Amino acid sequence: MLPGTFDQVRSPDQAELGAGMPATRTVTPDGDVILLVPGESAAARAAAHAQDDDLTAVIEITDVAPVSVPHRIRGRAWLAGWLTQVRGDDRAACAALLAERRPVGELLGLHGRPSCVMLRLEVGEISVDDLWGAEHVDPRELAAAEPDPVVNHETELLQHLAAVHRDRIADLCALLGPRESAAASAVPLALDRLGLRVRFTGGGSSFDARFDFPAPVRDVCELRRAMHALFAAASG
């Protein structure tokens, strides 16, 4: 599970199958979502008794900023499809994918009684409402997407910038042009391979500004250089 996210699994008739309960999740090369959930959860029980793929479900993911800012929810996504329990030969492959996020042997009962089960959501429809706008996403795009190289570091870096380098973030006001006078305070809101988003507050209102890097970064070293260049542009 990504930092700053809250998952909820429900059926289309709004019956809640579990909130905030996946121990971890991942996406297969085919674009299916694999969830590791408590064995006694409503989602696990429903999937265990479903016939083939007749259990439709929706995963709602809420992305919450890891820093204190007005309106901390950065986005929501809804993945709708068919929920089944992972069985047979698929278990080993799915467990290996999940283990890339966190050790799962104990949770799957490889060393004793299982406490979690694996569920598969075959995704049929995706909609997203985030800082970039609202849109529908083709499930094939989810299957083809590559993880952002910054994702595992974003929470730590944003919290570090907000706690230690608040003055450097405030210096970015110089790059705002006419909006500079409306920015009394600045907090880093989101960070990815393409740039930094900052939430500026002043005069009882707030607005976001996106500061793009000259080129997408591929690792933390390139990110460090891109951030230094951004701060240098603001102070120059």
Side-chain angles (χ1 to χ4, degrees), residues 47 50-57 81-85 120 122:
Q51 297 298 317
D52 297 323
D53 58 356
D54 65 349
L55 178 61
T56 56
W82 299 270
L83 194 67
T84 58
Q85 186 170 334
R120 179 194 304 271
E122 182 183 349

Side-chain angles (χ1 to χ4, degrees), residues 192-218:
D192 57 47
R193 66 188 181 93
L194 300 177
L196 172 70
R197 184 180 291 265
V198 177
R199 179 152 296 167
F200 294 94
T201 304
S205 63
S206 62
F207 64 92
D208 292 353
R210 172 83 177 180
F211 301 96
D212 292 330
F213 299 143
V217 301
R218 293 170 296 181

Side-chain angles (χ1 to χ4, degrees), residues 6-28:
F6 173 85
D7 286 22
Q8 177 174 285
V9 184
R10 56 181 173 79
S11 59
D13 62 3
Q14 306 301 312
E16 188 176 293
L17 297 180
M21 51 75 180
T24 187
R25 54 174 157 77
T26 193
V27 179
T28 72

Side-chain angles (χ1 to χ4, degrees), residues 22-235:
T24 187
R25 54 174 157 77
T26 193
V27 179
T28 72
D30 295 328
D32 295 343
V33 179
I34 304 301
L35 301 165
L36 188 65
V37 304
E40 297 304 316
S41 66
R45 293 196 302 270
H49 292 92
Q51 297 298 317
D52 297 323
D53 58 356
D54 65 349
L55 178 61
T56 56
V58 178
I59 299 176
E60 179 178 338
I61 304 173
T62 303
D63 179 25
V64 182
V67 292
S68 179
V69 291
H71 315 297
R72 288 185 65 186
I73 293 179
R74 300 188 297 190
R76 287 189 171 91
W78 295 266
L79 290 74
W82 299 270
L83 194 67
T84 58
Q85 186 170 334
V86 177
R87 295 186 173 92
D89 295 339
D90 286 343
R91 283 176 50 82
C94 290
L97 286 173
L98 289 169
E100 293 178 3
R101 291 196 175 275
R102 61 170 292 184
V104 297
E106 182 178 349
L107 295 174
L108 289 174
L110 301 183
H111 310 295
R113 183 178 178 182
S115 59
C116 288
V117 298
M118 286 183 287
L119 303 181
R120 179 194 304 271
L121 183 77
E122 182 183 349
V123 180
E125 183 178 351
I126 303 172
S127 57
V128 176
D129 185 357
D130 60 16
L131 299 171
W132 288 264
E135 63 178 327
H136 289 281
V137 178
D138 190 317
R140 289 174 295 185
E141 294 184 49
L142 176 64
E146 293 289 337
D148 192 293
V150 177
V151 68
N152 291 328
H153 311 282
E154 187 200 22
T155 294
E156 179 184 357
L157 290 172
L158 287 179
Q159 292 174 346
H160 177 74
L161 289 170
V164 181
H165 298 293
R166 186 69 68 97
D167 56 336
R168 305 294 297 276
I169 299 298
D171 288 344
L172 296 176
C173 292
L175 303 177
L176 293 177
R179 294 186 295 173
E180 179 178 357
S181 60
S185 65
V187 180
L189 178 67
L191 182 65
D192 57 47
R193 66 188 181 93
L194 300 177
L196 172 70
R197 184 180 291 265
V198 177
R199 179 152 296 167
F200 294 94
T201 304
S205 63
S206 62
F207 64 92
D208 292 353
R210 172 83 177 180
F211 301 96
D212 292 330
F213 299 143
V217 301
R218 293 170 296 181
D219 52 40
V220 174
C221 292
E222 290 189 4
L223 174 63
R224 186 179 297 111
R225 289 195 291 268
M227 292 295 295
H228 286 165
L230 180 61
F231 291 143
S235 61

